[in-house]
Each structure stands twice: as C-alpha cells, then as structure tokens.
Amino acid sequence: AQSVAQPEDQVNVAEGNPLTVKCTYSVSGNPYLFWYVQYPNRGLQFLLKYITGDNLVKGSYGFEAEFNKSQTSFHLKKPSALVSDSALYFCAVIDQTGANNLFFGTGTRLTVIP
Amino acid sequence: KAGVTQTPRYLIKTRGQQVTLSCSPISGHRSVSWYQQTPGQGLQFLFEYFSETQRNKGNFPGRFSGRQFSNSRSEMNVSTLELGDSALYLCASSLNSGRSYEQYFGPGTRLTVT
C-alpha cells in the first residue's frame, strides 16, 4: 500500500530565509511524486513533480524538491521565502499500478513571517 | 487557456437529498478526477474518468457516482446525503490518463449538508 507522511503540521520561517517542507513516502516500485500548494478558498496548484532523472526537480515560483531514494524522501525547498508563500502544502504520490489517483499527505501549513 | 471550472462553488443541502456537481476540464484535457477534502480525512480520491469511462475508483460508498460526457465535462452525484458528506469537492483534469501527467485542480465546490 502507498502512503505519504508530512511530519510537520506547521512550519514557520522568516521572510528571506530558506524553507524546507518535509515529505516521506512508501510505495511499491518506483514512485511518481508531486507537490501541490493550496491557498485559502482555492483549489490545489501544481508546483512540481518527480518521475525519473535528476534527483533535484525545479518547479513553479522558485520552488524545488530533492528526491532521495535511500531515505524515501521528497522534501520541498526554496532558497528565500516570501510572505506570499504562506499556504498549505501537500505532497502526493502515485504508485506503479498505473492508476491515476494521487495519494496525498496530510498537508503542512507554511507561515512566512515578515 | 482557461483553467478547470467547477459549479456551483457553494451548495447547502439537507440530509437525504441528492446533489450534482459539475466540472469543466482544461480545454484538450481528457481525464477528469474527483477528490473529497475534509479536515478529518484530508484529501481522498473518489474516481477518475477518461473517454467517458470510469477508470479507477476510490473507497467510497455507491452513493457517490459520476460520469463524463463526450466533451470531457464531468459530473459527480451524491445521493441520500449524510452530514459526513460535508466537504470541499475538488475536480482535477489532466491531458491524458497516466501517472506522468500532472493533474490541474479547480477551485472546488463547498458542500454543506445540514
């Protein structure tokens, strides 16, 4: 069975500092990994995905994520946080069954403090 | 290109009633998936439609059903509403069906069951 863990419900970071939102996964076979962001009263916005290739994936709005197979992690990072990055972040995985359903983590609320 | 649209945005229904939610995917996208988001259960996959056929179904009771039309628009129906059905229902579209295709989400329909 597939699962995704986001160990931190809340992450606070000062504006201008680097940010990291953590995600670990458990799937059978090779995972397809995704990060989405949700702003209040809005749907989810796609940030980036890892399918294969380079372990460092670059996405929208300056975000990037590092795939680490040995640690089964896919942490989201940004070198310099903006107040506008404050939102709810979801990590998601699709396993190798071929089904298209995303399996989401519980979400991490990021607050960037001015 | 216009994004995924969902109607209505807000809905209030009474227990025992039924409800139909609508989703229009991004132009050219052929796969539509539905998700339920609640504070307690998080984001959960309901079902996926591709070329008017249900390809995959999550672990929800038969009261939840859907369909897709030839223009890729999709509807979701919930019959005999229960209080626990109160949630944000998100529709997502992707270019094709398959895990390498990222899903783009609409703003959701907020359903309140009283």
Side-chain angles (χ1 to χ4, degrees):
Chain A
Q2 55 193 340
S3 66
V4 175
Q6 293 182 245
E8 299 160 319
D9 292 336
Q10 174 82 40
V11 170
N12 297 325
V13 63
E15 186 178 21
N17 281 4
L19 69 87
T20 299
V21 183
K22 296 179 180 178
C23 171
T24 59
Y25 65 90
S26 175
V27 297
S28 301
N30 295 321
Y32 281 25
L33 294 156
F34 302 80
W35 275 101
Y36 284 84
V37 60
Q38 187 175 35
Y39 296 98
N41 301 314
R42 305 258 311 260
L44 277 69
Q45 293 182 26
F46 169 77
L47 283 177
L48 51 80
K49 69 179 179 183
Y50 172 82
I51 297 176
T52 187
D54 290 341
N55 290 340
L56 185 64
V57 179
K58 294 189 182 297
S60 305
Y61 313 119
F63 284 94
E64 58 188 29
E66 186 169 10
F67 172 67
N68 188 317
K69 188 172 184 178
S70 62
Q71 296 185 7
T72 61
S73 66
F74 189 55
H75 301 330
L76 182 70
K77 300 181 180 183
K78 188 174 182 181
S80 178
L82 300 173
V83 172
S84 57
D85 292 331
S86 299
L88 189 56
Y89 289 80
F90 290 95
C91 180
V93 66
I94 298 179
D95 69 10
Q96 66 176 5
T97 61
N100 202 27
N101 52 295
L102 290 161
F103 192 87
F104 286 91
T106 53
T108 297
R109 185 162 300 282
L110 172 69
T111 300
V112 181
I113 303 165
Chain B
K1 192 180 276 192
V4 178
T5 58
Q6 293 186 245
T7 56
R9 291 291 311 277
Y10 302 91
L11 206 50
I12 300 175
K13 289 287 187 178
T14 304
R15 255 185 316 176
Q17 289 185 317
Q18 75 166 12
V19 66
T20 299
L21 312 181
S22 181
C23 171
S24 293
I26 293 171
S27 178
H29 283 197
R30 298 167 61 196
S31 170
V32 174
S33 298
W34 289 88
Y35 294 83
Q36 182 197 64
Q37 185 177 22
T38 61
Q41 300 298 318
L43 281 153
Q44 293 185 288
F45 171 77
L46 281 156
F47 28 65
E48 180 203 4
Y49 286 87
F50 178 75
S51 294
E52 303 178 63
T53 301
Q54 187 180 88
R55 288 210 52 179
N56 192 23
K57 190 176 189 303
N59 190 26
F60 278 81
R63 300 185 297 107
F64 292 81
S65 63
R67 58 177 176 169
Q68 186 180 34
F69 302 95
S70 58
N71 62 357
S72 293
R73 190 178 70 86
S74 177
E75 288 182 346
M76 189 191 94
N77 184 275
V78 188
S79 62
T80 319
L81 284 166
E82 300 177 359
L83 294 179
D85 297 333
S86 294
L88 180 66
Y89 290 89
L90 294 164
C91 164
S93 76
S94 59
L95 189 63
N96 213 326
S97 182
R99 59 185 186 145
S100 61
Y101 296 94
E102 58 265 26
Q103 297 178 34
Y104 294 90
F105 284 79
T109 294
R110 173 77 60 186
L111 172 65
T112 302
V113 182
T114 62

